[in-house]
Structure formats: C-alpha cells, structure tokens
Amino acid sequence: QVQLVESGGGLVQPGGSLRLSCAAPGSIFRLYTMGWYRQAPGKQRELVAHITSGGSTYYEDSVKGRITISKDNAKNTVYLQMNSLKPEDTAVYYCNARWRGDVYWGQGTQVTVSS
C-alpha cells in the first residue's frame, strides 16, 4: 500500500499564504510525476500543478504566478507554496503520484480562504 502523507492545510485570510507538503516513498518519488489536485464543494477535482521526476512543472492557468510546486529529493517530499490566496482557492487539496498506469492519492487536506 503506497501512502502519500499530506500536511499544511488550514484557514487563511484572503491574500495570505500556505505551504502544503506531501511525503512519498522513495521508490515512488524518484520515478513518478507528483502533483496537487483540488476539489471544491460541488465541483470536479482539478489539477493545480505537477512536477515530473526530471523537474519540469505545469500549472493550471488560474494559479500561475501565485502557486509554486517544488520538491526536495533528499526528503522525498513535494511542496505546494500558495501565495495571494483567494476565496476561490478554497478546496480539499490532494497529493497525487502517477506514472504510466499507476496512480496514487493522498487523503486530502482542507484549505479554506476566508476573512
């Protein structure tokens, strides 16, 4: 059973920042594309950003310039630094690992942006 362990969610005011973390087993981290998805109430789960094993990144248009994905290979951890947060960023954020046909999910962490 592959476990992706997320942390860092919480309540933040509009304009504030949060950093999410996701720790993965080394065998997964070195090979898989690691990503963050989010799902707001009543909406479909959507990709926020991902980073490949080689370090290439992708961002969904609405988060470009505000959110940065990065990884620490020594800690087998991927991060999602979120700045200038907006109420519409409120969602459950899920860590994801995928490679060919294999997909793994974390348990999700709630991010709430509200004054």
Side-chain angles (χ1 to χ4, degrees), residues 17 33 50 66 81 92 94 105:
S17 298
T33 292
H50 74 221
R66 301 188 298 118
Q81 177 66 46
V92 178
Y94 295 91
W105 293 94

Side-chain angles (χ1 to χ4, degrees), residues 58-74:
Y58 164 85
Y59 296 95
E60 193 271 328
D61 284 345
S62 70
V63 307
K64 286 179 179 177
R66 301 188 298 118
I67 289 178
T68 303
I69 191 168
S70 62
K71 60 179 183 173
D72 185 330
N73 292 331

